[in-house]
Amino acid sequence: MLQYSRSNFVTENDYIEIPSAYLPIVSQDTITHEFESYTTTLSLEEIQEKLLAASQLTQQGIKEQKAGEFHLAMKSLKDALRLFQIIGNTEKQPQVLALLGLVAYSMVDYEWTISYCQQCLSLIQDYPDQKIEMQALSCLGNAYRHLHEYDKAIDCLKRDLQITQYLQDQRSQVAALNNLGLVYRACGNFTQAIYYYLQSWRILQALQDKWGEEKVLKNLGNAYYALEDYPQAIAYYEKFVIIARSLNNHRAASQVLKNLGNACYALGDYLKAIQYYQERLQLAREIQDKQSEEQSLNTLGVAHEAIGQYPEAIAYYEQQLILAESMQDSRSIEKALASLKVTCYALGDYAKAMQYQQHH
């Protein structure tokens, strides 16, 4: 990766996961059960009563999961699973286990995500249900990725992808392709990651899903940026910004405008970099994002300095200093003062450089 002078550029090229919650049915507490064996003899009436209660708890758990109430969802689903086990209904258990896997994943408990999903896949062999298998494989693959077990993640997600293709479930296929891209990106294989992102993007275009396109376009831009293929990164970032603006996703647009400016700067196209940094500055002020505003002022100063426009650079650094002081951000204050001092020296204004040197 390129190194920028005085570390003025901060890259935040995070990659966006399309989680298993993107799938239709799928939108910490730990347990100690290992498929407990219940031998209690129940009457038909008791079985029907518990079956109804378990089904209601499952639906309640799904609603709580979708509402982001993960601890409640975990309790409801574990209670449902226990009831299904008591009445010996192994046909319903895989769905509940897959949902428990998703909830555990949402709670960043990857070990239990793996446990639930593996139990689901073990049971599902007796009652094949490809949709539930697909959901379990998706969660399992993502959990393995987070634990850096990339070979296992790839195996699960490729099996997931095969099922989505067989079922012709395009939205689930988008998730599988994107998540495969994330695994290969995590391995450092950006070329293979791009291969999967592009397939995902084409499906989203056909579906006219702008929200999904936005996520994958950013992943594509970031992957090309990591390969230092800045022209391609710029092309996908520009597409992203257009969609993000249309969706009023201003904060995401702001971040990618910075990446666009950095990519142009890396190519030596300083005027284009300035254009994107100015767009970001304007957007940051519109949404009152002080941190992005401070960063934009800094990068504008750096870009103007790069083309020898020292007075303009100083003007931006001074605005950065004022804003940093109002935010009481000591790190940004020091950065602005250092930039001002160096730029004043470059301009030959030693007296002003000394003023910034003595600034407290």
Side-chain angles (χ1 to χ4, degrees), residues 17 105 110 113-114 117-118 121 133-162 175-187 192 196:
E17 175 180 316
Y105 181 79
Y110 303 126
T113 301
I114 290 168
C117 291
Q118 285 177 336
L121 293 171
E133 184 181 2
M134 176 178 69
Q135 292 153 17
L137 286 167
S138 179
C139 268
L140 190 57
N142 286 334
Y144 278 131
R145 171 171 57 84
H146 285 290
L147 295 176
H148 310 296
E149 297 187 47
Y150 300 128
D151 288 340
K152 290 181 180 178
I154 289 168
D155 177 63
C156 290
L157 292 171
K158 282 188 173 178
R159 287 162 61 194
D160 173 30
L161 178 61
Q162 287 177 340
L177 289 165
N178 185 75
N179 293 335
L180 271 166
L182 290 176
V183 180
Y184 281 106
R185 191 276 305 176
C187 295
Q192 194 69 12
Y196 286 110

Side-chain angles (χ1 to χ4, degrees), residues 91-290:
E91 186 176 358
K92 295 289 186 181
Q93 289 177 41
Q95 181 192 12
V96 180
L97 286 162
L99 289 165
L100 279 164
L102 172 60
V103 175
Y105 181 79
S106 302
M107 297 171 77
V108 199
D109 190 339
Y110 303 126
E111 296 289 351
W112 275 105
T113 301
I114 290 168
S115 176
Y116 286 127
C117 291
Q118 285 177 336
Q119 291 176 56
C120 170
L121 293 171
S122 176
L123 273 183
I124 214 167
Q125 294 176 17
D126 297 324
Y127 299 95
D129 186 321
Q130 288 184 305
K131 284 192 175 182
I132 293 175
E133 184 181 2
M134 176 178 69
Q135 292 153 17
L137 286 167
S138 179
C139 268
L140 190 57
N142 286 334
Y144 278 131
R145 171 171 57 84
H146 285 290
L147 295 176
H148 310 296
E149 297 187 47
Y150 300 128
D151 288 340
K152 290 181 180 178
I154 289 168
D155 177 63
C156 290
L157 292 171
K158 282 188 173 178
R159 287 162 61 194
D160 173 30
L161 178 61
Q162 287 177 340
I163 296 171
T164 68
Q165 291 169 334
Y166 177 78
L167 295 176
Q168 298 182 333
D169 183 341
Q170 289 185 304
R171 293 195 176 277
S172 299
Q173 194 173 340
V174 163
L177 289 165
N178 185 75
N179 293 335
L180 271 166
L182 290 176
V183 180
Y184 281 106
R185 191 276 305 176
C187 295
N189 189 342
F190 297 103
T191 302
Q192 194 69 12
I194 288 166
Y195 168 77
Y196 286 110
Y197 291 146
L198 282 172
Q199 291 184 64
S200 178
W201 180 46
R202 291 188 190 107
I203 296 171
L204 288 164
Q205 284 180 300
L207 292 171
Q208 297 184 325
D209 182 344
K210 295 300 182 185
W211 288 101
E213 273 196 77
E214 181 195 47
K215 292 175 173 61
V216 177
L217 284 168
K218 184 173 183 181
N219 287 349
L220 275 164
N222 290 346
Y224 277 113
Y225 193 103
L227 288 172
E228 298 185 9
D229 186 343
Y230 299 117
Q232 285 281 28
I234 289 166
Y236 287 107
Y237 282 149
E238 285 177 336
K239 289 180 174 66
F240 171 91
V241 170
I242 291 169
I243 290 177
R245 285 186 180 277
S246 74
L247 297 173
N248 294 320
N249 193 353
H250 299 306
R251 291 191 182 276
S254 173
Q255 184 183 338
V256 171
L257 283 167
K258 179 180 70 173
N259 294 349
L260 270 165
N262 290 355
C264 292
Y265 187 98
L267 289 173
D269 191 347
Y270 303 120
L271 293 178
K272 192 74 172 174
I274 287 169
Q275 177 187 322
Y276 287 123
Y277 294 146
Q278 285 177 333
E279 282 186 44
R280 187 183 188 221
L281 176 62
Q282 181 181 349
L283 184 56
R285 286 172 171 167
E286 286 175 7
I287 63 176
Q288 299 182 332
D289 182 346
K290 297 295 184 185

